[in-house]
Every structure is written in C-alpha cells, then in structure tokens.
Amino acid sequence: MRYSFLGLLFITTSLFSQAPLFNDITFDAGTGIGAMNNNGIVIGDFDNDGNEDIFVPSRLDENRLLKNMGDGTFQNVTALSGIENGGLTMTGAWGDVDNDGDLDLFIGNYYTQTASFTNYLYLNDGNGVFTDISTTSGIDTEDQTRSVHMVDINQDGYLDIYVCNLSQQNVLWQNNGNNTFFNATFSSGLYDASISMGAIFFDYDNDGDQDVYLTHDGNQANIMYENNGFGFFYDVSLLTNLNVAGQGMGVDHGDVNNDGHLDIYVTNLGPNFLLLNNGNGSFGEIAIDAGVADETGMGWGCFFVDYDNDGWEDIYVINDSNFSPSTNKLYKNNGDTTFTLVSFGSTISSFYAGRGGTWGDFNHDGYPEIIVANGQEFVGVQIFENLNLGNNWIGFEVEGTTDSKNAFGTRIQLTTENGVKIDEKTCGSSYASQSSHRIYFGLGQGEVSDIYIYWPDGSIGFIDSLEINQVHSIQQGIYNADVDGDGYLVDVDCDDMNENVNPGILEVVYNGLDDDCDPLTLDDDLDGDGFVLADDCDDMNESVNPGISEVVYNGVDDDCDPLTLDNDLDEDGFVLADDCDDMNENVNPGISEVIYNGVDDDCDPLTLDDDLDEDGFVLANDCDDNNSEINPNATEIANNGIDEDCDGEDLMMTSTHELADLVIDIFPNPTLDYLNIVIWDNLDFEVKMFSLKGELLYFGLNKNLIDLENFNSGIYLLKIRDLESQQMVIERIVVE
C-alpha cells in the first residue's frame, strides 16, 4: 500500500501526457531545513526496521543521520547516534564490515589544516548507536576523499573499502576480518593518484568478478581497471575505449538496451558521456546521439532508475545551477538507445546548487523516489515522491552467507517481456552517494521468469518465477533448484547451456566437473571415489587402464606406476616431484626427510629454491636469507625481486620499456643521487615517485632528470604516464 505523502504536484498542462509524476515532499518529510552545502546522499537501513535511512555528508555544515520513520517523515538522530557531525565531509558508505547483521558507516572527509578531520569508521551496535573504531582499525588517514566504495576484493567474506582521493593516492583498505584493515593499494594495482571524483565497481566484462571504473576532473582521462579474478587490477582504459577525458564527476552503471551488458553514464562540465557496452570488451560513446549529453549543464550526481517501471532504464542528472544555469534532467529511455527529456516543467526539474543524489523506495510501493543533495539553505535534501502507476515491478534484497553479509557485487538476471534484464548491487555510485541496498526491476505489463542470482564467490542460484510487485529476500544458497527435472540440483548438475547438449534445456549451475554430459570424458568420476578420470590411476572403467587394479590414490598418478614422480609414497601430502625425500629408497637414498619448504625437491637446504628465514621469498628472489652460510653479515633489505646475493652487481642498471610507438629508458638503477628518464619521440609525460606505502614523493612534467639527493636509501615506485596515449610504466627504483 502507498502511504500518503503531502505536498503540491506541479505538472504543466502542455506536457501532461509525457511529464513524469513526482511530488516534492521535502518540507513535509523534514529533510530540507537545517544544513547547507550538502554533498551526497548515502542510503541504508541502519536500524533494520525495514525502512531505508539517509546519511547526509555536508561540506561546510553538520552531517546528518536521518531516520526514516515509516510515515513519510525523517527524524534527525545524529546527536543520539554517536557519529561525528563535523568536518569537510564529502561522502560516506554503509556496509556491514564485521558481518554482524547491521550496517556500519565509513565517513570520508577532505582533510585540511583548518578542518583537520580524518576519515572515520563507525561500528553499529545494533541499537542505533555507533562506536568510533577509526584509529584501532587503521583507516584514520588524512585524505582528500571524494568517494567511498565497499566490495570484497579478495573474496574472503569480508568487505574491503576503496577510497578515492583528490590529487592524492587512492587507497584500498583490505579487511583483516577482525575490525582492522591494511593498505593493499599497490598489491592490488589500484594505485591511481589523479584528480579522482568518483568510481563504481561492477562486472563490465561479464567474467564473474568486480572491475572498477574511475572518473577524473581536470581533463585527466578516466580509468577502467579490470580484475584478473584474483583481486589484482589492470588498466584497460585504452583497450575498452573508456579513457574519455573531461571534468568527470558522477558515474553509474545500467543496461540501457537490455542486452545483458552493463553500460556507463558519467557527468561532466560540458557534455556528459553515455558509454555503451559493445559486449566484446569495448565501449562506444553515444551520449549526443542518444540525447543525454546535457551539454550546457554542470553535472554532478547521476543515476540509472526505471522511474515508470516500463522495463527500460532511465537517467537522472543533477546539475549545479549556481555554476551553470541548467536544471536537473530526467531522460526517459525510449527502448532504442535514445532518450527523451521529460523533466521540463516537472517538479523534479530542480534548479538549485545540486551535488549528489540517488534513488530509494521509501514508501515500499515499488516506484523509486528521487533524492537530491543541494547546497542551498531551506532546500537541503529534496525528496521527490514517485506517483507513477500502471506497470509491474519486482525487487530483491540479497544476503550473503559464504560471501560477505551485504553481498555487494551480486548480479541478478531475469527474463521479462522486454528481454533479459540484469543489475548489480553496488556500494558507492552517482557522486559521493550510495543508492538503495535493494535491486529493482521494472516489468512493464509483464511478469518475470528464469531468475538467476550470481553471487560474488561464483555460486549461482536459480528460481523459476516469483510473485511480482513485491520485494523478495534472497539468502545465498537457498535457491539451488532442479531446473530441468533430472534429479540434480543446480549446484551439482552437469551442463545444459550448450546447444549441442540436451538442446532446449536451460543451463543450470556448472558442477566443476562434467560439462558435456559425456560419462566417459576425463572429468568424470565413474567409480565414485572422489577422483575424476584425469586424476585417477584406474576408474574401474574398461576403457581406462584395462586390467589394472585400483591403487591407493596418489593425487596425480594416472598411469598406475607407483614409482613415477607424481606419487606420494610417504603420504605426507607432497608428491615425489615436489618432495625433497619421500622415504623411498629409490629417491635420495640415505637422506633423512627435512621439513618441506614448498619448493626444494633435491634435499639440499642451501639451494636457491629454499626460504630459510621464512620471509616469503626463496633464496633466488631474496637479497639475504639471514643464513650464516649465505651472504654472511649482509643486512636484509626489502625484497626487490632482482638482487639475489646482496652485492648490488646483478641489479638492473638500465631498463627499457616499449609501449606502442614509445621507447622509455630508465637509468641508472640502483642510483645514488639522480635518475635519467629518456622517452624517445615524445615531449609530454608526467613522472611520479611513490614510497612503498603509496605516499607521493615527487611529481614532474616532462622531467628527464630527477634529483634524488634528499631521498633516503630504500626502494621506491616510479610511475611514468604518457599524456598523449595515457599509457604508463611502473618501475621499482633502488636508492642506495
């Protein structure tokens, strides 16, 4: 049931047939009066009462925590919550970092000497009161933060936090699982230090992991980072055509043409970008042709929202009318990759100092409200109640079990009358904002079928169909159905998604073994001993090793020869090829078993494949292993991956990199007081030097000689970016 929101509805008569139906309920909701300079809208149900609340970050005024009372009004409970309300606060993010079932809050501040507020992390005690763990967690850094995002990068079941900073190193805080975090920025590859304004994590290439797109101000090219599946990210901006440059601000994803690939919208000072996913790893810029460029606006927040639930994602853009006299815009999706501006004359055509904004279904009617953060007094946070009716919808709340509780990154796919639709749960989007934790789909006049839930850890749930016009709570692991009726559930079925196998049957979740339903392929386990044919010496199958009796499984041996190097005769968990001595008289006779080091297969404790000091680097990659027989009296230095005997002689003296038509020479390395950089046939490049902690220590444009006289001895990261192609090189530099 829709509850009554009070207020006036302004719709021009001439545009009545097209104008969206929204009602500005700001005054009655109680969100407009109070703070100025609101910067973002951060939505989350912090008290688990079923009504999503709002955290409002304010640049020059008090931050506010607004509790949704469930009757169309919001109450300011900041003073009761224990949350710091001061600072140059730009953004925040709700996420359950300790997996205890309630939302915790990260607050991002822009640190200055006159506003010396660090970033904050608050744990929710479940009763609406928060505890500041910023210092003990390790995240209380002095950053110039612009946006915050949460996602489980390393798939350990705990949310990590990615912080985007302005002209300062972005930071990835990896969750240790005990309410502490460590800086994993450089080990993840997410070491951007440009003029960051926003970002969004999503699976751009449909390979099952979370990638990230970063927006930049100052005509610096945006960056697309692709996840390699193991939590390391590569810059694929050039390959994807996503290296667009401008005064980029807000960003969001949505599938505008229902082709199963997520597209990107970016706001800008000047024409905005609509980047259409081609489905082959590349994108095309279509904003002008699609009618959504908004060329005269100063765009900040933006988001996809199917405001009328017709099954096509629409776009809302928030403009700072104080900077450029342009209203906010709502573009209706026509279903053919073109859009129509429908906000002219409507109340949502707001004309204030708009910044962040997003959507949330505050009255549970399935038609999302639009929320805008403004920088003018007595306007504050505008809430536009959605009065549209007539179409069907469906909503989802997802909860992880093996994944993190919030399961950010979960993708839902379903079949509708408008084709297959997808969306993902995201923490951090638009500008300095976070949208509803629910996932909504407009269905037009149709229903829904074939619902797939792709969880971040790779598991998949399937549901035939669900009731429409309601929100469904989905817990990971409870919807593993027997779709094709063959007696196997989704997570243990062979394969049905191949047109040559069981044609006409829908694919169910792959079981990790047989994907062709052929019982005699090497991925079968015919004798049911837990080992498939490719790894079993005999599978009681006359076609495999006929006449040979099954032997005790050795982990590798598929030829039943007990003396091959793939046997583990002493059953210590290491096969002969990886074991220094297997207590086998035919292998290293007379040598006693030593503690296995994971590499040494010749029982010589002084070979370069040993890690005697257990620092994680074997001798071949370690300058000194704290062993009296190796490099005596040498002081251990941070591993550089090159010098393996601490004499400095085999360190790379000159390195050469080739990128397209560019040739870059860097020398000498190691160095005492200077470093030469030669980029052939190129004049425009930037050079940055970082500490291993990610601190920017040097910046220069077109500098061929770097003076390192004031640098301490140690290892540094050198980053060279060609300003024309935006290609970059990263090199480790040793200063002696």
Side-chain angles (χ1 to χ4, degrees):
M1 290 290 293
R2 181 195 298 270
Y3 54 69
S4 177
F5 272 134
L6 300 177
L8 296 176
L9 174 64
F10 298 98
I11 306 173
T12 58
T13 303
S14 62
L15 294 175
F16 183 81
S17 62
Q18 190 177 37
L21 302 176
F22 284 89
N23 185 14
D24 186 347
I25 62 161
T26 303
F27 178 78
D28 294 304
T31 60
I33 299 176
M36 295 177 62
N37 296 291
N38 304 289
N39 204 58
I41 299 294
V42 185
I43 291 181
D45 182 6
F46 77 87
D47 53 1
N48 285 334
D49 65 353
N51 299 308
E52 292 197 298
D53 312 297
I54 306 174
F55 174 72
V56 185
S58 177
R59 303 188 308 280
L60 299 173
D61 211 327
E62 291 186 351
N63 302 325
R64 290 181 292 164
L65 178 58
L66 303 177
K67 174 178 168 55
N68 186 342
M69 304 306 293
D71 60 358
T73 67
F74 290 78
Q75 180 178 339
N76 188 339
V77 296
T78 315
L80 302 175
S81 69
I83 293 173
E84 169 63 52
N85 61 8
L88 280 170
T89 304
M90 295 293 177
T91 186
W94 292 109
D96 189 357
V97 299
D98 55 357
N99 284 337
D100 68 347
D102 49 43
L103 293 177
D104 311 303
L105 180 64
F106 188 101
I107 296 178
N109 285 305
Y110 191 91
Y111 186 95
T112 67
Q113 293 301 313
T114 56
S116 53
F117 292 83
T118 67
N119 289 338
Y120 292 107
L121 180 60
Y122 288 94
L123 280 189
N124 190 336
D125 71 356
N127 295 309
V129 178
F130 294 79
T131 300
D132 183 355
I133 64 165
S134 310
T135 301
T136 58
S137 67
I139 64 87
D140 59 338
T141 50
E142 300 173 0
D143 293 336
Q144 278 71 58
T145 298
R146 285 287 180 162
S147 69
V148 178
H149 312 267
M150 294 189 186
V151 65
D152 185 1
I153 292 287
N154 59 346
Q155 282 302 302
D156 64 350
Y158 288 92
L159 289 177
D160 309 306
I161 303 172
Y162 188 62
V163 179
C164 292
N165 294 315
L166 188 72
S167 299
Q168 182 187 13
Q169 184 64 57
N170 293 349
V171 182
L172 173 63
W173 294 112
Q174 191 160 304
N175 195 330
N176 293 319
N178 59 358
N179 295 333
T180 67
F181 294 77
F182 74 94
N183 189 332
T185 307
F186 282 86
S187 61
S188 69
L190 293 174
Y191 37 70
D192 178 54
S194 304
I195 308 177
S196 293
M197 298 299 293
I200 189 164
F201 282 84
F202 71 109
D203 185 5
Y204 91 92
D205 52 359
N206 288 1
D207 66 350
D209 51 47
Q210 291 287 287
D211 313 297
V212 61
Y213 188 58
L214 307 183
T215 65
H216 293 141
D217 201 349
N219 284 313
Q220 294 183 347
N222 295 345
I223 298 178
M224 183 74 233
Y225 281 113
E226 180 179 338
N227 191 333
N228 71 350
F230 299 97
F232 188 84
F233 293 79
Y234 296 94
D235 186 341
V236 295
S237 309
L238 287 173
L239 296 175
T240 57
N241 300 321
L242 289 173
N243 59 327
V244 296
Q247 284 74 46
M249 301 295 174
V251 60
D252 198 15
H253 67 63
D255 186 2
V256 300
N257 55 354
N258 291 344
D259 68 346
H261 298 275
L262 291 172
D263 312 302
I264 304 172
Y265 191 79
V266 179
T267 51
N268 188 31
L269 173 57
N272 298 336
F273 301 107
L274 176 56
L275 302 157
L276 190 70
N277 193 328
N278 297 321
N280 60 2
S282 68
F283 288 73
E285 209 297 290
I286 65 166
I288 293 178
D289 291 340
V292 294
D294 192 20
E295 297 166 80
T296 62
M298 170 66 255
W300 289 84
C302 64
F303 49 93
F304 288 96
V305 58
D306 187 358
Y307 77 90
D308 56 359
N309 284 330
D310 67 349
W312 299 95
E313 293 290 316
D314 312 303
I315 299 173
Y316 189 72
V317 177
I318 299 169
N319 283 311
D320 182 354
S321 57
N322 283 355
F323 187 92
S324 177
S326 183
T327 65
N328 297 348
K329 305 288 197 310
L330 178 61
Y331 295 100
K332 178 176 171 56
N333 192 333
N334 300 321
D336 58 2
T337 65
T338 69
F339 293 74
T340 299
L341 177 64
V342 295
S343 53
F344 180 78
S346 169
T347 185
I348 60 171
S349 184
S350 179
F351 193 72
Y352 298 105
R355 284 298 183 99
T358 188
W359 65 271
D361 182 15
F362 290 145
N363 57 3
H364 308 287
D365 68 348
Y367 281 80
E369 275 66 62
I370 289 176
I371 311 98
V372 178
N374 294 293
Q376 290 183 228
E377 193 171 7
F378 302 112
V379 180
V381 173
Q382 288 179 293
I383 300 180
F384 300 102
E385 180 193 8
N386 192 334
L387 300 176
N388 292 275
L389 292 171
N391 284 322
N392 296 325
W393 58 276
I394 191 169
F396 298 89
E397 292 181 333
V398 295
E399 178 183 324
T401 53
T402 55
D403 278 313
S404 65
K405 200 79 163 179
N406 293 144
F408 292 123
T410 298
R411 172 179 289 200
I412 294 181
Q413 171 186 307
L414 42 79
T415 301
T416 75
E417 65 176 8
N418 291 320
V420 174
K421 293 178 63 61
I422 64 170
D423 203 359
E424 291 183 4
K425 182 177 180 180
T426 299
C427 178
S429 61
S430 184
Y431 169 73
S433 298
Q434 180 179 5
S435 63
S436 171
H437 288 236
R438 302 171 185 142
I439 303 173
Y440 277 54
F441 295 92
L443 303 176
Q445 294 297 303
E447 297 191 354
V448 63
S449 63
D450 299 334
I451 304 162
Y452 288 87
I453 302 99
Y454 297 90
W455 300 94
D457 69 355
S459 61
I460 306 175
F462 177 87
I463 311 169
D464 265 328
S465 62
L466 287 170
E467 292 292 327
I468 59 174
N469 299 324
Q470 61 182 275
V471 176
H472 298 271
S473 295
I474 307 295
Q475 188 178 64
Q476 187 176 16
I478 66 172
Y479 281 105
N480 293 328
D482 176 14
V483 182
D484 55 4
D486 63 356
Y488 297 102
L489 297 180
V490 162
D491 56 350
V492 293
D493 207 347
C494 70
D495 174 35
D496 265 328
M497 205 166 220
N498 176 2
E499 64 182 3
N500 298 315
V501 180
N502 303 319
I505 308 251
L506 293 176
E507 175 136 21
V508 291
V509 177
Y510 175 63
N511 63 13
L513 300 173
D514 190 14
D515 60 1
D516 60 5
C517 297
D518 177 359
L520 294 182
T521 51
L522 290 179
D523 51 14
D524 285 286
D525 174 20
L526 299 184
D527 60 358
D529 64 354
F531 307 113
V532 295
L533 290 182
D535 297 329
D536 206 348
C537 89
D538 177 36
D539 207 85
M540 296 178 158
N541 171 23
E542 62 181 8
S543 300
V544 180
N545 301 315
I548 297 183
S549 299
E550 180 98 27
V551 296
V552 176
Y553 180 70
N554 55 35
V556 181
D557 190 18
D558 58 6
D559 62 4
C560 296
D561 178 358
L563 294 183
T564 51
L565 289 179
D566 50 17
N567 287 96
D568 175 19
L569 300 183
D570 59 358
E571 298 181 353
D572 64 352
F574 306 111
V575 296
L576 290 182
D578 296 329
D579 206 348
C580 87
D581 176 36
D582 207 87
M583 294 173 145
N584 172 21
E585 63 183 9
N586 296 312
V587 180
N588 301 315
I591 297 182
S592 299
E593 181 97 29
V594 298
I595 297 175
Y596 179 68
N597 58 24
V599 182
D600 189 17
D601 59 6
D602 62 0
C603 296
D604 179 359
L606 296 182
T607 51
L608 291 180
D609 51 14
D610 285 286
D611 174 20
L612 299 184
D613 60 357
E614 298 180 352
D615 63 352
F617 304 110
V618 294
L619 291 184
N621 296 325
D622 206 349
C623 90
D624 175 42
D625 210 271
N626 290 333
N627 173 21
S628 61
E629 298 183 68
I630 300 174
N631 306 314
N633 302 319
T635 302
E636 180 96 25
I637 60 172
N639 179 61
N640 54 37
I642 304 171
D643 186 12
E644 61 188 37
D645 62 3
C646 298
D647 63 3
E649 293 299 324
D650 52 357
L651 284 172
M652 188 177 295
M653 301 301 292
T654 302
S655 58
T656 299
H657 300 268
E658 294 186 11
L659 293 175
D661 297 327
L662 301 176
V663 178
I664 303 175
D665 288 334
I666 304 168
F667 62 92
N669 186 16
T671 181
L672 289 174
D673 50 15
Y674 66 90
L675 189 69
N676 282 300
I677 300 172
V678 178
I679 301 185
W680 302 96
D681 300 325
N682 182 267
L683 296 177
D684 296 317
F685 61 93
E686 67 176 22
V687 178
K688 295 181 180 180
M689 288 276 286
F690 298 92
S691 71
L692 292 181
K693 293 182 178 180
E695 301 166 300
L696 180 62
L697 303 175
Y698 174 86
F699 174 78
L701 292 174
N702 304 324
K703 298 294 185 181
N704 296 103
L705 184 67
I706 301 178
D707 184 357
L708 302 177
E709 184 177 359
N710 294 323
F711 278 56
N712 295 325
S713 298
I715 300 176
Y716 299 86
L717 291 179
L718 172 72
K719 179 178 175 182
I720 303 172
R721 184 196 295 269
D722 173 54
L723 297 181
E724 180 179 351
S725 69
Q726 293 299 315
Q727 296 182 91
M728 70 177 70
V729 164
I730 296 177
E731 181 80 25
R732 289 184 180 223
I733 303 298
V734 178
V735 177
E736 295 182 333

